[in-house]
Amino acid sequence: MADGTDLKSTPLRALHEELGARMVPFAGYAMPLQYRAGIIAEHLHTRSAAGLFDVSHMGQVTIRARMPGEDPARALERLVPSRLVTLAPGRMRYTVLLNDEGGIIDDLIVTRTDAPDGALFAVVNAARKEVDLAHLERRIGADVAITRHDERALIALQGPRAEEALAALVPAAAALAFMQWGRFAWEGEEIWISRSGYTGEDGFEISVPAGAAERLARTLLAHEAVAPAGLGARDSLRLEAGLCLYGHDIDETTDPVEADLAFTIAKARREAADFPGAGRILKALAEGPARRRVGLLIEGRAIAREGTEIRSADGARTVGRVTSGCYSPCLGKPIAMGHVARGCDAPGTALSVVIRGRSEPAEVVALPFVPHRYRRQG
C-alpha cells in the first residue's frame, strides 16, 4: 500500500479535505472513505435523495479506428464477449475484457459516442487501467488509436433526486434514459453525461474537464438534495445492488459464467464462439460452472468479510469463500457475496459462514439484495 507521499490526487482532493473527508489510499490515489456524516448516513442519503461521489480515479479512454470507414467496435469485440458493433450512437453496454483463458481482466462500460467516426468511450476500473490499456495496445493497437482522458474528472451523482439536481444545471440531461450518453454544455465547458452508475439507483456519471470539476461539484452540492458520499458508501451501495467489485468478486481466474455475468455474452457471440476463452465459457454455459457467485444473507450481527469460509449448513464441508461482505443499511443485517460450489447456488440453500471461529447460519438469496431503480425510459 502506498504511504501517502506517492499517492495521486483527483481534481477534487482539496474539496474532500475541506468537507472533512477521511482520506485513504485506494488504487494509488488519495480518496475519501467517508465524510463527517459517516458511511451509513451517506448510504441512506443516496438511497433517499442524492449522493455525490468522486470517481475521477477511474480510467476514461476513447477508442477510434485508425483507418477511415473501419468500426473500432469490431476490433474491441475481439477482446470481449459482448456485441458492440450494434451499439447505436449514445448507447452504452456493460462488458468484460477477457484473457485467453476466459478470465476477466476487467469489467467496463463501453459507449458509442456521437462522433461521425463511430468512436467508442470506455470507463475502466482505477486499479486495472494500466493493465487494460497495455492489453488493448498489444492486442488491437494496430487497428485502433486509444486516447486517455487524464485531463478529465468523473463525478457520479446517484439517487432518486439526482435528476432533479442535475436538471437544475443541465435541463436536457433529464431526457436521458438508463445506459444512454450525451454531450452537453455547462458554463462554457463540454461535459459528457451518462445515465448510469454503480449503486443500483437512478443517477448519472459526469465526465468534466479537470479544471471545472470542483466548480461543478460545488454547484451540485449547493442543491439541498445532494450530499457528498465516499468510497465506504459506494461499496455498501454496490453490494446491496449485487454488483461486482473487481479484485474481490471477479478477477483473472473468474469467467463470466462463474461471476453470474453471463448476460454479457451475446447470443451471436455464443453462436460464433469467437471471443477469448470461448471453449471454457461455452462449456460452463452448457454444463453449469463448477462455482458461481451468489448473494448471502447472514444471521446475527457479525459481518462476513472477504475470504470468510463458506460451509455446508451442518459445517461438515467447505463449499466456497466470501468475496465481499458488509452491513446492509437498508436491510439492517449483514449481507455478502461469494463463490460457492455447484449444487449450493440455488436461492433458499441453507449454508453457514465461519466468522472468528464461530459458525453463523447463512442463506443463498437472489441478487440484488435491494431492487434496482434505474430509469429505463427517458
Side-chain angles (χ1 to χ4, degrees):
M1 179 180 291
D3 63 7
T5 60
D6 55 357
L7 292 174
K8 299 178 209 171
S9 296
T10 75
L12 297 181
R13 181 168 181 171
L15 178 59
H16 298 318
E17 293 174 344
E18 178 185 316
L19 294 172
R22 177 185 167 197
M23 304 297 286
V24 297
F26 183 80
Y29 287 80
M31 297 296 294
L33 176 66
Q34 64 181 84
Y35 298 85
R36 296 188 181 101
I39 292 172
I40 291 178
E42 293 166 19
H43 179 116
L44 294 174
H45 184 85
T46 302
R47 288 270 185 252
S48 63
L52 186 146
F53 302 81
D54 179 10
V55 288
S56 303
H57 57 312
M58 300 184 76
Q60 303 181 65
V61 298
T62 296
I63 303 170
R64 286 190 152 85
R66 292 189 182 278
M67 297 295 293
E70 294 291 324
D71 184 354
R74 196 166 298 284
L76 189 55
E77 276 196 1
R78 301 206 297 265
L79 308 180
V80 304
S82 306
R83 193 77 165 138
L84 300 178
V85 295
T86 56
L87 269 177
R91 293 294 176 176
M92 313 165 68
R93 192 155 291 156
Y94 174 86
T95 189
V96 288
L97 200 59
L98 296 173
N99 64 27
D100 289 338
E101 290 72 48
I104 299 172
I105 296 173
D106 199 4
D107 61 335
L108 64 159
I109 292 181
V110 177
T111 300
R112 177 80 80 178
T113 73
D114 55 3
D117 63 357
L120 304 173
F121 173 65
V123 176
V124 304
N125 282 298
R128 301 296 289 175
K129 60 186 173 186
E130 302 301 335
V131 174
D132 294 352
L133 292 171
H135 183 72
L136 292 173
E137 289 286 1
R138 186 169 60 252
R139 301 298 288 268
I140 59 173
D143 298 320
V144 299
I146 301 162
T147 304
R148 295 176 60 143
H149 293 292
D150 294 341
E151 81 287 1
R152 300 186 77 87
L154 193 64
I155 294 170
L157 185 66
Q158 300 282 292
R161 297 185 66 185
E163 178 185 299
E164 171 191 340
L166 183 58
L169 279 61
V170 188
L176 293 172
F178 180 58
M179 297 298 275
Q180 191 172 9
W181 175 98
R183 202 184 301 266
F184 300 86
W186 174 74
E187 293 193 352
E189 306 286 351
E190 181 178 283
I191 58 176
W192 307 335
I193 300 176
S194 63
R195 196 154 199 155
S196 63
Y198 218 62
T199 62
E201 292 294 328
D202 182 30
F204 303 86
E205 290 194 347
I206 309 163
S207 175
V208 53
E214 184 176 321
R215 182 159 47 98
L216 176 60
R218 287 184 184 277
T219 306
L220 289 168
L221 286 168
H223 192 285
E224 56 94 12
V226 181
L231 292 178
R234 183 172 167 82
D235 190 53
S236 55
L237 287 159
R238 72 90 195 164
L239 185 46
E240 281 188 344
L243 303 173
C244 294
L245 179 62
Y246 195 89
H248 300 264
D249 309 299
I250 51 176
D251 58 26
E252 291 210 39
T253 71
T254 317
D255 71 45
V257 185
E258 294 172 318
D260 200 25
L261 299 176
F263 68 88
T264 62
I265 312 165
K267 181 173 183 285
R269 306 301 305 281
R270 299 180 191 203
E271 293 170 354
D274 60 350
F275 50 87
R280 168 187 172 181
I281 291 170
L282 294 177
K283 184 173 186 292
L285 279 171
E287 300 176 3
R291 58 175 185 164
R292 190 189 299 274
R293 178 175 65 97
V294 298
L296 295 169
L297 272 182
I298 315 293
E299 288 191 19
R301 304 292 294 176
I303 296 172
R305 301 291 185 189
E306 181 179 3
T308 297
E309 187 178 4
I310 305 171
R311 290 185 178 171
S312 53
D314 61 6
R317 61 192 176 94
T318 298
V319 301
R321 296 275 173 185
V322 168
T323 52
S324 294
C326 74
Y327 173 80
S328 165
C330 289
L331 301 183
K333 60 178 66 175
I335 59 173
M337 293 196 299
H339 293 152
V340 298
R342 182 186 303 176
C344 299
D345 55 341
T349 302
L351 298 173
S352 63
V353 291
V354 182
I355 304 173
R356 295 190 289 276
R358 181 173 173 173
S359 183
E360 300 283 356
E363 178 186 350
V364 175
V365 297
L367 294 171
F369 294 100
V370 173
H372 296 162
R373 298 198 290 185
Y374 304 136
R375 184 71 60 84
R376 301 284 179 183
Q377 300 296 325

